[in-house]
Amino acid sequence: MNLLDPILGGPTARSDAASRTPVRRPFAPRPLADAADPASPAGDGRTRPGKLIAVVGARGGVGATTVAVHLAAWLSEARGRTALVDLDLQGGTVALALRLKPGPMPREAVEAPDRVDDLFMERATVAASERLAVLAAEEPIKDAVEVGGPAVQALLDRLQLRHDYAVVDVGRPQGRAARAVLEAASLRVLVGDASRPSLRDLVRLRAAAPSRPGARVMTVLNRLGAPGELAMADLVRTLGEPPSHCLPYRPVPLAVAAGIGEPVFRHCRRFREAMAWLGADAAGR
Ligand SMILES: Nc1ncnc2c1ncn2[C@@H]1O[C@H](COP(=O)(O)OP(=O)(O)OP(=O)(O)O)[C@@H](O)[C@H]1O
Ligand SMILES: [Mg+2]
């Protein structure tokens, strides 16, 4: 038994020695017991682009990155090759959550989108596992980094050609890059918690429906069961309808899982069950 088991509520894949090792190794993909579907038949011989999923936070800190990371990890383990993109090139936390060191930044892509080719993508992405590629950056805080719509579009086009799913952590939907991702996505996952400001902004985000034909919007209520949250009846009344999915409040397992760079659904049954519903719904089958 791993020392982390009592905290995480389940068996962990790594030895105690491994969990203390500061060097991050990609986590091995594992079949998920509750994900019946195999990898997308598109696979490497894909004839159509992978599905683009934009994960948006109603407000800062509500859990958009947590949802993006876990959705991408779930899709990669249960459904097919997945790319995970952190749109915040300076302060994003996707790479941190998986204990990865971001590759050399797509900064050149930001400035010259026509240089985004397969070689560039190979250099810029980091493998979190065999089927999960991460595109993230840690640009200096002092620089003014504004990614333009054409640059984002070029990156997304490449990623969608090479993956069954591309999940983008948009964070707060501000700026040209965020707008470009939202417009291009066939699914918007709006994340909020049960606080009044977050519910208000979830309603406003939902009202800004995608113009793209066939695009879907899904709401995820994160931290269900957190102390001091609104009662479910009030929450549904404020939202105008029940959230599409809820993720449970699990601060300790999440913190420990982030410490070892693994998705928490490996170790926390409640989270695993909730993610299986969310992941299958997002995958669309
Ligand atoms: N379901 C949950 N239960 C407990 N803690 C959670 C849950 N979801 C997220 N958290 C914690 O809340 C904090 C913020 O989460 P996260 O970074 O995902 O939010 P964010 O919306 O991406 O924030 P930011 O606006 O800074 O990008 C993290 O410490 C995370 O571990
Ligand atoms: Mg975030």
Side-chain angles (χ1 to χ4, degrees):
M1 188 176 104
N2 192 297
L3 283 179
L4 295 166
D5 284 355
I7 306 173
L8 292 165
T12 65
R14 300 157 74 96
S15 69
D16 296 340
S19 67
R20 283 194 299 267
T21 308
V23 179
R24 169 83 183 108
R25 264 176 259 123
F27 62 79
R30 277 202 252 149
L32 289 165
D34 37 10
D37 230 19
S40 155
D44 285 332
R46 174 176 308 96
T47 53
R48 59 193 156 86
K51 181 169 187 172
L52 179 62
I53 302 172
V55 181
V56 179
R59 301 192 62 86
V62 292
T65 299
T66 303
V67 171
V69 166
H70 285 83
L71 177 57
W74 190 92
L75 289 169
S76 73
E77 297 197 5
R79 295 299 170 98
R81 287 168 56 84
T82 304
L84 172 60
V85 182
D86 194 335
L87 214 56
D88 183 346
L89 304 185
Q90 288 170 303
T93 54
V94 162
L96 275 183
L98 291 166
R99 289 196 68 193
L100 295 171
K101 178 121 193 66
M105 179 42 218
R107 183 75 175 257
E108 53 189 272
V110 175
E111 279 139 22
D114 53 329
R115 280 160 65 182
V116 179
D117 56 14
D118 282 345
L119 182 67
F120 167 83
M121 293 309 294
E122 240 142 65
R123 277 194 300 132
T125 52
V126 186
S129 76
E130 246 174 58
R131 299 210 313 205
L132 179 59
V134 175
L135 187 62
E138 279 175 11
E139 288 293 298
I141 300 272
K142 61 178 174 43
D143 293 2
V145 183
E146 164 85 275
V147 191
V152 169
Q153 197 54 59
L155 281 171
L156 295 178
D157 287 348
R158 283 283 156 186
L159 285 172
Q160 285 177 267
L161 280 178
R162 295 162 62 101
H163 297 86
D164 300 298
Y165 301 95
V167 178
V168 183
D169 178 4
V170 174
R172 300 293 307 284
Q174 288 160 347
R176 281 179 291 168
R179 275 200 298 280
V181 174
L182 287 177
E183 277 312 310
S186 54
L187 173 63
R188 294 181 187 180
V189 179
L190 311 179
V191 182
D193 60 17
S195 66
R196 287 194 188 279
S198 161
L199 293 174
R200 180 200 66 183
D201 289 349
L202 268 183
V203 171
R204 293 205 284 199
L205 282 172
R206 226 186 27 210
S211 53
R212 188 191 166 87
R216 285 173 65 209
V217 177
M218 191 187 272
T219 44
V220 175
L221 184 76
N222 190 26
R223 295 205 185 94
L224 186 71
E229 74 179 9
L230 283 180
M232 187 50 99
D234 290 339
L235 193 152
V236 172
R237 201 173 314 118
T238 312
L239 267 184
E241 63 184 35
S244 320
H245 295 277
C246 297
L247 288 177
Y249 179 62
R250 286 291 180 277
V252 177
L254 265 168
V256 178
I260 58 174
E262 284 203 353
V264 73
F265 58 65
R266 291 257 176 98
H267 313 286
C268 175
R269 186 178 55 81
R270 284 279 316 281
F271 220 94
R272 183 163 59 248
E273 289 168 356
M275 274 312 304
W277 283 105
L278 203 167
D281 192 7
R285 277 187 290 145

